[in-house]
Amino acid sequence: MPLRVDPGPVRTAGATAPGAPVLVLLHGYGSHEGDLLGLAPSLPRELALVAPRGPLRGGPGYAWAPLATPGRPDPAAVRDAADALLTWLDGAVDPARPLALLGFSQGGLLATQVLRARPGRITAAVVLSGFALDTEEPGDAELAGLRVPVLFGHGDADTVIPADATARTAAWLARHTAAEHHTYPGLGHGIGRDGLADVAAFLERTVVAGTGARGGKTA
């Protein structure tokens, strides 16, 4: 049976102005749809935040794909998760609205996969402590031509994502996107204050300013 993103648990915050750019928050393995909404006060207020729940049970919460060898999940499972998210987004977000992604850990993996599956739909993406599949994907050539802005941020003390997965992802992003790469000294598998400031500035520059969004009401 195909994976499906349940619209019931989806949570929202941020701008409510019609046509406001949408930022989809993609949680990590074992977490939930409310996790990354804690970042909302630090993100540009012009963005409409949408936080779906992963379609699988995983650890104490939910997941986008089953756990496997660290940094090397089953590509088919990741593609299925990306397809499920895109199917839901196609029905939930007006195609005329700018759409950006912010994913942490496994959510960062999903963000890269959605970007590869539908590069022309994504305005910008943020990948925090995540990685990309070590495969060739059908959308890679189109993505390389579009050079979508992507912020890739991670700590140099991350013991969850293998260093080789981080290194190959940085190299892949440099080849296929307009990548902005930040390494944070002493940071483990998490999001630090400096990183959050970089994310806010990146989204302001690539999404808010790029789409002319100003003055959206906040929820």
Side-chain angles (χ1 to χ4, degrees):
M1 184 175 180
L3 289 182
R4 175 178 174 270
V5 172
D6 185 354
V10 172
R11 295 181 59 180
T12 61
T16 58
V22 175
L23 178 65
V24 183
L25 304 176
L26 302 170
H27 65 76
Y29 182 89
S31 190
H32 56 83
E33 66 279 5
D35 186 22
L36 295 179
L37 283 175
L39 305 180
S42 299
L43 299 175
R45 68 185 187 90
E46 294 89 354
L47 300 177
L49 308 181
V50 180
R53 174 189 291 177
L56 302 175
R57 294 293 308 195
Y62 299 89
W64 299 100
L67 283 184
T69 302
R72 297 188 181 277
D74 177 7
V78 178
R79 293 177 190 128
D80 287 347
D83 288 346
L85 182 64
L86 281 165
T87 297
W88 172 73
L89 286 171
D90 286 345
V93 179
D94 186 333
R97 295 177 75 173
L99 181 64
L101 309 170
L102 187 159
F104 173 74
S105 194
Q106 193 182 78
L109 167 64
L110 188 63
T112 64
Q113 193 62 28
V114 168
L115 187 61
R116 301 170 86 168
R118 195 85 63 82
R121 181 66 183 96
I122 306 303
T123 302
V126 175
V127 179
L128 300 175
S129 300
F131 61 97
L133 285 179
D134 188 17
T135 57
E136 293 292 330
E137 297 295 309
D140 283 0
E142 181 183 357
L143 179 60
L146 292 172
R147 308 301 286 185
V148 175
V150 177
L151 185 149
F152 181 40
H154 58 88
D156 66 0
D158 191 335
T159 58
V160 174
I161 306 300
D164 68 314
T166 298
R168 74 158 192 265
T169 299
W172 178 84
L173 286 170
R175 294 193 304 270
H176 291 85
T177 72
E180 180 177 320
H181 185 191
H182 296 271
T183 302
Y184 301 102
L187 179 67
H189 193 63
I191 303 172
R193 183 178 300 177
D194 290 346
L196 190 52
D198 288 336
V199 168
F202 171 82
L203 292 172
E204 181 72 37
R205 183 174 65 253
T206 62
V207 181
V208 177
T211 58
R214 288 290 185 273
K217 296 179 181 179
T218 55

